[in-house]
């Protein structure tokens, strides 16, 4: 079989590193959107992570006529009825920064006791081929939302997502440690198993 080439439908360097790391022992060449001059801006207007992940992978795959891998992630906070969920990227507004979103979440949970600060990070990954084949996998990680930012690593909600099984936030972990247990790593490992059995 010719070497599998996959376009990553993301420009987030942290995610690209995470993805390449999970698949490093497989004979796959990953291209990123930075390897191309033009690419379509995909509007993430789905009502679920699955809809968004599939939309991104389908549009990028169609545009480049190559297999495309995308992911969509949401942070679901129990006390907030699952919010921000699929709206995690724009929780504090359309052009919100990571910091805006983190501050808003801390504010929404002000005074809420620890036991009610339960949260789960969920990721859906989708690999779509130009011939229409689609593979989807999910990963999750449970934790609590801290009352203040702790740690300096990572991105997004990492400083306030306390991973129960590790006893620290994602932002207190090295990339390797986060990659060994993160919601996205788990989704990617599940996808890897599917690819290994279906394609190789
Ligand atoms: P996306 O679907 O991966 O673009 O992520 C949606 C939102 O969740 C963005 O605001 C990201 O910052 C946040 N997010 C996604 N993955 C992570 C993560 O691994 N740690 C912290 N925040 C994340």
């Amino acid at each position: 079989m010719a070497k599998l080439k996959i376009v990553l439908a993301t420009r987030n360097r942290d995610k690209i590193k995470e993805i390449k790391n999970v698949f490093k022992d497989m004979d796959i060449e990953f291209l990123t959107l930075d390897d191309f001059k033009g690419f379509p801006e995909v509007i993430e207007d789905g009502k679920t992570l699955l809809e968004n992940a599939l939309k991104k992978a389908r549009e990028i795959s169609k545009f480049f006529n190559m297999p495309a891998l995308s992911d969509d992630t949401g942070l679901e906070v129990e006390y907030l009825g699952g919010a921000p969920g699929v709206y995690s990227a724009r929780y504090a507004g359309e052009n919100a920064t990571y910091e805006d979103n983190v501050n808003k979440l801390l504010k929404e949970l002000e005074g809420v006791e620890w036991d009610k600060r339960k949260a789960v990070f969920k990721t859906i990954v989708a690999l779509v081929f130009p011939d229409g084949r689609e593979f989807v996998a999910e990963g999750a990680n449970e934790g609590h939302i801290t009352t203040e930012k702790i740690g300096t690593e990572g991105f997004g909600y990492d400083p306030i997502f306390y991973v129960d099984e590790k006893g620290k936030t994602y932002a207190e972990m090295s990339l390797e440690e986060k990659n060994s247990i993160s919601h996205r790593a788990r989704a990617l490992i599940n996808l890897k198993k599917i690819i290994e059995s279906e394609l190789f």
Side-chain angles (χ1 to χ4, degrees):
M1 188 175 123
K3 186 169 185 158
L4 182 57
K5 283 190 190 179
I6 297 177
V7 189
L8 299 179
T10 180
R11 305 192 72 196
N12 179 321
R13 306 221 153 261
D14 297 296
K15 287 188 187 176
I16 292 168
K17 265 197 245 165
E18 264 188 74
I19 296 167
K20 286 186 174 169
N21 188 49
V22 168
F23 289 94
K24 63 175 185 259
D25 60 338
M26 287 182 84
D27 196 21
I28 299 175
E29 183 181 342
F30 287 105
L31 302 169
T32 72
L33 294 177
D34 290 333
D35 294 318
F36 301 93
K37 281 212 177 73
F39 54 85
E41 204 60 56
V42 182
I43 314 279
E44 294 183 34
D45 55 359
K47 293 209 168 42
T48 61
L49 299 176
L50 178 63
E51 273 180 45
N52 280 336
L54 277 174
K55 184 176 181 198
K56 273 186 272 188
R58 283 173 184 157
E59 289 190 21
I60 298 289
S61 170
K62 194 166 167 203
F63 186 81
F64 293 114
N65 196 27
M66 282 180 66
L69 195 162
S70 72
D71 76 298
D72 203 38
T73 295
L75 175 62
E76 298 177 0
V77 180
E78 196 176 288
Y79 181 79
L80 301 174
V86 71
Y87 304 108
S88 295
R90 48 207 148 103
Y91 188 43
E94 237 5 90
N95 298 311
T97 62
Y98 289 153
E99 201 179 1
D100 297 335
N101 289 332
V102 164
N103 289 340
K104 171 157 180 176
L105 189 50
L106 286 177
K107 196 147 201 341
E108 292 291 326
L109 293 177
E110 223 165 57
V112 176
E113 64 190 71
W114 184 252
D115 285 350
K116 294 199 171 138
R117 302 176 77 95
K118 282 197 191 97
V120 56
F121 250 123
K122 284 187 187 159
T123 293
I124 300 280
V125 287
L127 174 64
V128 171
F129 285 74
D131 65 10
R133 281 174 299 162
E134 296 185 341
F135 304 98
V136 170
E138 185 175 346
N141 202 357
E142 288 178 3
H144 285 77
I145 303 301
T146 52
T147 51
E148 58 183 9
K149 296 169 208 170
I150 308 169
T152 52
E153 301 296 316
F155 67 100
Y157 296 94
D158 281 353
I160 58 167
F161 187 77
Y162 179 92
V163 181
D164 294 338
E165 66 175 272
K166 289 280 180 182
K168 53 181 153 177
T169 68
Y170 271 155
E172 293 180 281
M173 297 179 196
S174 65
L175 186 64
E176 288 69 38
E177 188 173 14
K178 182 181 171 194
N179 276 346
S180 67
I181 46 110
S182 84
H183 46 289
R184 191 170 16 263
R186 287 177 177 166
L188 288 165
I189 289 165
N190 288 336
L191 181 70
K192 187 179 176 191
K193 285 184 199 144
I194 298 173
I195 296 177
E196 278 168 342
S197 72
E198 299 281 335
L199 300 178
F200 285 88

